[in-house]
Amino acid sequence: ESGLASYYGYGRAGKGGELTCAHRTRPFGSVLKVSYSGRTIQCRVNDRGPFIRGRIVDLSVPAARALGMMSAGVVPVSVD
Amino acid sequence: ESGLASYYGYGRAGKGGELTCAHRTRPFGSVLKVSYSGRTIQCRVNDRGPFIRGRIVDLSVPAARALGMMSAGVVPVSVD
């Protein structure tokens, strides 16, 4: 399936540093392969979500970092 | 000044719903005007940071939302 991914900072950590994520329907404990911009990670489902239309997976911060999507939340600004 | 902005979920909330942010050098309590993509918000400095090269301001989540940069952290993925 294809769609949007977001990340969230409040998820439970995985055992032994395992990458974790939230999915609406996949079984708890199952492993997803998530690909973005040519990179693929595996993360274990340990939560439910996301509940926003068009989003298909919510990644923990370590998983988002491994997938290289953290910098996507950084935008150019000017400050006065 | 121009540079990159990020946001962080762990900042203290502003009094009375005021938007808040972190800056390395501006005085605590001062108000910054932050512009992104044609939108400008005002946020009050109540923290220090960001400490990553090229980033000039860290916004609280409400401030990032007001500035319209939250969706920048959402990326297209495929899940298998």
Side-chain angles (χ1 to χ4, degrees):
Chain A
E1 59 180 330
S2 294
L4 298 174
S6 45
Y7 60 87
Y8 61 126
Y10 303 96
R12 282 167 295 179
K15 291 175 185 168
E18 197 174 44
L19 302 178
T20 59
C21 54
H23 193 277
R24 273 192 297 273
T25 57
R26 299 287 181 99
F28 278 88
S30 65
V31 173
L32 308 184
K33 287 187 180 179
V34 181
S35 300
Y36 162 61
S37 191
R39 198 180 299 199
T40 299
I41 62 153
Q42 298 195 349
C43 58
R44 193 175 294 276
V45 176
N46 74 343
D47 204 353
R48 289 293 177 221
F51 302 107
I52 294 177
R53 182 192 300 268
R55 298 209 192 156
I56 59 174
V57 66
D58 245 349
L59 300 177
S60 63
V61 167
R65 191 174 288 129
L67 195 56
M69 63 180 274
M70 295 300 289
S71 62
V74 178
V75 303
V77 297
S78 67
V79 172
D80 296 305
Chain B
E1 59 181 331
S2 294
L4 298 175
S6 44
Y7 59 87
Y8 61 126
Y10 302 97
R12 283 167 293 179
K15 292 175 185 168
E18 197 174 43
L19 302 177
T20 59
C21 55
H23 193 278
R24 274 191 297 274
T25 56
R26 299 288 182 99
F28 278 88
S30 64
V31 173
L32 307 183
K33 286 187 179 178
V34 181
S35 300
Y36 161 61
S37 193
R39 199 181 298 201
T40 299
I41 62 152
Q42 298 194 348
C43 59
R44 193 175 294 275
V45 176
N46 74 344
D47 204 354
R48 289 295 177 219
F51 302 107
I52 295 176
R53 184 190 300 268
R55 298 208 193 159
I56 58 173
V57 66
D58 245 350
L59 301 176
S60 63
V61 167
R65 190 174 291 131
L67 196 55
M69 64 180 273
M70 295 301 288
S71 61
V74 178
V75 303
V77 296
S78 67
V79 172
D80 296 305

